[in-house]
Amino acid sequence: MTEQDIAPVEQDTADDTSVEQDGVDDDARDEADIAADYIEELLDICDLDGDIEIEERAGRVYLSVSDEGGALRVLSKPDTVSALQELTRMAVQAETGEFSRLILDVGGSRDARATELQRLVDTAVERIEAGAPTAALPPMSSYERKLVHDLVAEKGFHSESEGEGRDRHTVVTR
C-alpha cells in the first residue's frame, strides 16, 4: 500500500462525501478533522456516499453521517455504530496521543436510540407511579445512561447507575 493509497479521501476530487463543520473550536478541530478523515476513508472502502456534519457540544465532538438514499442503513445498527465510534476514537487517539470522547451518529441512529430511551424512561416512570419502588432499565453505554439520567430528571424522578462493566444499568426511583 502506498502513501497515495492512504491519503485522506477529501483530497480525491471524485469523492461524493462532504464534510461540514458547525461551531467547532480550534482545539476540537484536529480531533474532528482526524475523525472525519477516518470515516471518509471507511465510507470510501465500503463504496458508500455520505455527508459528514461536525459539531461541538459541551466540549465534545459530534460527527453525524447521513445520506439521501438510505445506503447507510447497513452501518446504522446500534452495535455497528458503537463499534465504528470506538474505532474512530482509537484512530484519533493514535494520531493525537489523547483520549477522544467523540460521538458518532450514522443515518440518524442516535436520534432513533434517544426516542427508544425516552420510551424506556416513560415506562419506568409509569411503573413507579403505579406503586413500584424502583424500575431498572437494561444495561447501556455511559453515554446512553447520561441521556437517561437527564430524561429522568426532567420528569422529576431520581436515577442512579448500578452494576459493573457490561451489566451497568440505570435504576429509577421517586
Side-chain angles (χ1 to χ4, degrees):
M1 181 174 274
T2 66
E3 207 171 299
Q4 184 179 4
D5 292 335
I6 58 174
V9 175
E10 68 185 27
Q11 294 175 357
D12 181 356
T13 58
D15 184 14
D16 290 332
T17 303
S18 64
V19 177
E20 182 180 319
Q21 294 188 2
D22 291 328
V24 180
D25 70 23
D26 289 338
D27 293 337
R29 191 171 311 282
D30 287 341
E31 178 181 13
D33 289 342
I34 293 165
D37 287 346
Y38 181 80
I39 294 297
E40 285 178 7
E41 288 184 46
L42 176 73
L43 291 173
D44 190 46
I45 289 168
C46 296
D47 196 28
L48 295 171
D49 295 327
D51 296 319
I52 300 174
E53 183 178 316
I54 301 170
E55 295 179 67
E56 183 181 4
R57 296 183 222 153
R60 191 178 257 199
V61 172
Y62 285 74
L63 267 73
S64 297
V65 185
S66 60
D67 71 336
E68 293 184 21
L72 292 177
R73 263 180 278 134
V74 68
L75 298 178
S76 66
K77 293 179 174 63
D79 289 342
T80 305
V81 173
S82 292
L84 291 174
Q85 177 176 282
E86 287 307 309
L87 289 171
T88 305
R89 285 178 173 178
M90 289 169 45
V92 169
Q93 185 172 358
E95 188 85 18
T96 65
E98 296 180 20
F99 179 74
S100 172
R101 294 179 49 227
L102 72 86
I103 299 295
L104 178 65
D105 177 36
V106 178
S109 60
R110 293 282 178 197
D111 289 339
R113 181 64 175 152
T115 299
E116 185 178 336
L117 293 174
Q118 181 66 59
R119 281 194 300 268
L120 287 172
V121 167
D122 290 345
T123 301
V125 167
E126 287 172 9
R127 281 187 278 167
I128 292 170
E129 288 176 337
T134 65
L137 301 179
M140 57 189 71
S141 71
S142 60
Y143 175 76
E144 290 176 339
R145 287 192 314 274
K146 168 69 171 112
L147 292 177
V148 165
H149 291 306
D150 291 346
L151 292 169
V152 168
E154 285 175 14
K155 294 199 170 278
F157 287 78
H158 179 72
S159 61
E160 290 185 16
S161 293
E162 295 182 359
E164 298 293 326
R166 295 180 80 68
D167 293 327
R168 193 142 177 90
H169 61 280
T170 306
V171 177
V172 181
T173 58
R174 190 168 286 281

